[in-house]
Amino acid sequence: MGEQPIYTTRAHVFQIDPTTKKNWVPASKQAVTVSYFYDSSRNSYRIISVDGTKVIINSTITPNMTFTKTSQKFGQWADSRANTVFGLGFGSEQQLSKFAEKFQEVKDAAKLARDKSQEKGETLSNHSQVKESGRDTPSADQASSFNGTDDEKISHVGPEAAQLKSENERLKSVVEQSNTNTKKWETELQTLRENNARLVDALQESSANVETWKKQLNACKEESDTLRQKIAELEAQCNDANQEKQRNAQLTVRVKELESELQEKEQELENLRKQAEIIPQLMGECESITAKLKVCLKQHFILLLRFTSEP
């Protein structure tokens, strides 16, 4: 039947930067379909995602893999075969949780399949060893036949035992290769864990920096508000100063007017002083005229008496 999809969702796909091993590089410009596939013929599971005609995820799930939630909507896992780390950004926390649950289910199924395969290999190996031990202790009749040529020995052992021995050797080779790959994957997993720890430390440091920047921003806002208040006070003072200038200008005009009036009064006073200097002379002349007038009146009175006294 081949591979069949067992779960499908949509997410933004990222891959770790192969150079820095820290930054995420977008593998898709928008959310794409991400599916779990099961291959019944191989008893294996894969995560596959295609953006248009480009395959951006082709990851076979192994029991050693771990899916890690790094935020409420983002998760990641390392694929040593692809030599990268995949990251998925979901639209909601529920989608992330569902994908993580399915990853664990597939991982457990892959582990169970591996265990069954190992048990089968061990069973075949034990069965082969039993047959070989049986051949090591043959009966008297069989012993006589082993004294022949190599061709006779091979024909006596039979094709079934040879096939079991070949299968046993192949399984041993697979187990050794699996152990080698396991050690390699464990080393890569440890490296990825260390990288993840560094990423977590960097994220925590970034969070601490964000908090510091927020405090600095709040301090700047408070300082800005204080400066705005001072500017408003200075503008009010400037308005008062402008009004004071206007009053000073009015007072200056008034002072000039008063100075002009004062000059006029001084001129009048000077004229009065000059007139006051003439007054004594005029009074003297007035007294002289008054005396002359008295003499004239006296003479006139005498003449009038004389005129009235004559017969």
Side-chain angles (χ1 to χ4, degrees):
M1 294 178 63
E3 283 186 310
Q4 296 293 331
I6 57 176
Y7 177 76
T8 300
T9 185
R10 292 185 65 84
H12 291 270
V13 179
F14 299 85
Q15 289 188 15
I16 201 72
D17 191 335
T19 303
T20 63
K21 299 296 184 180
K22 293 182 178 181
N23 302 324
W24 289 107
V25 178
S28 62
K29 296 181 180 179
Q30 57 187 0
V32 295
T33 300
V34 181
S35 302
Y36 285 94
F37 279 82
Y38 173 63
D39 188 346
S40 58
S41 61
R42 298 182 180 180
N43 198 18
S44 63
Y45 297 85
R46 288 198 298 169
I47 298 177
I48 298 176
S49 179
V50 179
D51 186 9
T53 58
K54 180 181 177 183
V55 178
I56 56 179
I57 299 179
N58 184 6
S59 178
T60 301
I61 305 301
T62 65
N64 297 323
M65 288 184 176
T66 301
F67 185 81
T68 304
K69 296 180 182 179
T70 56
S71 69
Q72 293 182 346
K73 297 181 181 180
F74 193 88
Q76 65 184 55
W77 78 96
D79 189 337
S80 58
R81 295 182 180 178
N83 193 26
T84 187
V85 180
F86 292 103
L88 296 180
F90 295 90
S92 66
E93 185 176 358
Q94 290 76 12
Q95 289 178 327
L96 173 60
S97 299
K98 184 64 176 177
F99 188 90
E101 292 174 0
K102 183 60 65 175
F103 192 98
Q104 186 63 38
E105 292 177 6
V106 170
K107 174 182 173 181
D108 293 340
K111 182 178 180 182
L112 182 61
R114 185 189 67 178
D115 293 342
K116 287 183 178 180
S117 176
Q118 290 180 351
E119 289 176 0
K120 182 179 180 181
E122 290 175 357
T123 302
L124 292 174
S125 177
N126 293 334
H127 183 68
S128 176
Q129 290 176 1
V130 169
K131 287 196 173 185
E132 288 177 357
S133 63
R135 287 195 298 272
D136 291 339
T137 57
S139 63
D141 295 336
Q142 291 173 339
S144 61
S145 65
F146 286 141
N147 293 327
T149 63
D150 293 338
D151 293 337
E152 290 174 346
K153 292 179 182 180
I154 293 174
S155 62
H156 180 77
V157 170
E160 182 179 358
Q163 183 179 359
L164 289 174
K165 185 175 181 180
S166 176
E167 182 69 17
N168 186 37
E169 293 297 331
R170 189 184 68 81
L171 289 174
K172 285 183 180 179
S173 177
V174 170
V175 170
E176 290 176 357
Q177 183 65 33
S178 177
N179 291 333
T180 302
N181 292 336
T182 300
K183 292 180 180 179
K184 178 182 176 183
W185 296 336
E186 287 177 352
T187 302
E188 293 179 354
L189 179 61
Q190 183 63 27
T191 301
L192 291 173
R193 285 176 178 171
E194 293 175 356
N195 292 336
N196 190 43
R198 285 196 292 269
L199 289 172
V200 170
D201 293 338
L203 180 60
Q204 292 176 351
E205 183 179 357
S206 298
S207 299
N209 291 335
V210 168
E211 293 298 328
T212 302
W213 296 335
K214 285 182 179 179
K215 292 179 181 178
Q216 292 178 355
L217 179 61
N218 291 331
C220 290
K221 286 182 178 179
E222 292 177 356
E223 185 177 357
S224 178
D225 293 338
T226 303
L227 290 175
R228 285 195 182 98
Q229 186 177 359
K230 288 184 178 180
I231 290 172
E233 292 175 356
L234 290 174
E235 288 178 348
Q237 293 177 2
C238 288
N239 292 332
D240 294 339
N242 291 332
Q243 293 177 359
E244 191 67 24
K245 285 181 181 179
Q246 292 177 359
R247 287 195 294 269
N248 290 336
Q250 293 174 356
L251 290 173
T252 301
V253 174
R254 181 57 180 166
V255 167
K256 289 182 180 179
E257 293 176 354
L258 292 174
E259 287 178 350
S260 178
E261 292 178 1
L262 181 60
Q263 289 178 358
E264 292 178 358
K265 296 297 182 183
E266 287 179 349
Q267 186 65 36
E268 291 179 0
L269 181 60
E270 184 66 25
N271 294 333
L272 291 174
R273 285 177 181 173
K274 290 181 180 179
Q275 292 177 3
E277 291 177 356
I278 300 173
I279 287 174
Q281 182 180 355
L282 293 175
M283 290 180 66
E285 293 178 356
C286 184
E287 289 177 353
S288 176
I289 292 171
T290 301
K292 289 179 179 181
L293 182 58
K294 287 181 179 179
V295 172
C296 290
L297 289 173
K298 187 176 180 180
Q299 290 177 356
H300 180 70
F301 183 71
I302 294 172
L303 289 175
L304 183 58
L305 289 174
R306 285 179 181 177
F307 182 74
T308 55
S309 62
E310 290 181 356

